[in-house]
């Protein structure tokens, strides 16, 4: 009777063969799952957001990440800032990246 579990367990363990190839297949499957379930949808969202930011123009009604709805009055191409009019005489300067969505025309009047 051995007091050491490692030697007792190793004495009765069957020899394993071919473990290297099985591990490579499992890693490849995990890589594919990671790509299709995590990376690809996130890359698609980033691409859509970049297209949204590049398509912003004066007169668009937008929703910011902070929940502010307004109309774009000025777009600065060299800088990444736009001026959004929230109400008559009230303008806010925000980064283009803070724009969450472009709303359909007339949304502000219906609010």
């Amino acid at each position: 009777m051995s007091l050491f579990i490692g030697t007792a367990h190793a004495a009765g363990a069957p020899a394993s063969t071919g473990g290297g190839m099985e591990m490579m297949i499992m890693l490849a499957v995990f890589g594919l799952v990671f790509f299709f379930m995590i990376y690809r949808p996130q890359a698609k969202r980033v691409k859509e957001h970049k297209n949204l930011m590049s398509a912003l123009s004066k007169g668009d009604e937008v929703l910011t990440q902070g929940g502010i709805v307004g109309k774009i009055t000025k777009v600065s191409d060299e800088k990444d800032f736009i001026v959004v009019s929230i109400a008559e005489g009230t303008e806010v300067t925000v980064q283009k990246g803070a724009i969450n969505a472009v709303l359909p025309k007339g949304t502000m009047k219906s609010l």
Side-chain angles (χ1 to χ4, degrees):
M1 189 158 161
S2 175
L3 297 176
F4 300 109
I5 295 174
T7 57
H9 182 64
S16 69
T17 58
M21 188 57 128
E22 293 168 356
M23 183 65 77
M24 294 298 286
I25 292 171
M26 189 168 35
L27 284 173
V29 168
F30 282 138
L32 287 173
V33 168
F34 175 79
F35 178 77
F36 284 109
M37 303 267 310
I38 297 173
Y39 177 75
R40 194 166 170 226
Q42 181 64 26
K44 185 178 177 183
R45 271 186 237 115
V46 168
K47 183 179 177 183
E48 288 174 358
H49 193 254
K50 282 184 181 182
N51 290 339
L52 171 81
M53 288 190 305
S54 66
L56 292 176
S57 63
K58 185 177 178 180
D60 286 344
E61 294 180 4
V62 294
L63 172 69
T64 65
Q65 288 179 354
I68 297 173
V69 175
K71 186 180 249 183
I72 296 177
T73 57
K74 182 181 174 189
V75 178
S76 168
D77 288 333
E78 62 274 354
K79 298 179 183 173
D80 289 332
F81 292 96
I82 59 173
V83 178
V84 178
S85 173
I86 334 176
E88 273 188 51
T90 307
E91 292 183 341
V92 178
T93 303
V94 296
Q95 285 184 325
K96 283 185 179 180
I99 300 300
N100 218 10
V102 176
L103 303 173
K105 301 284 183 189
T107 302
M108 287 183 61
K109 292 186 183 204
S110 67
L111 296 176

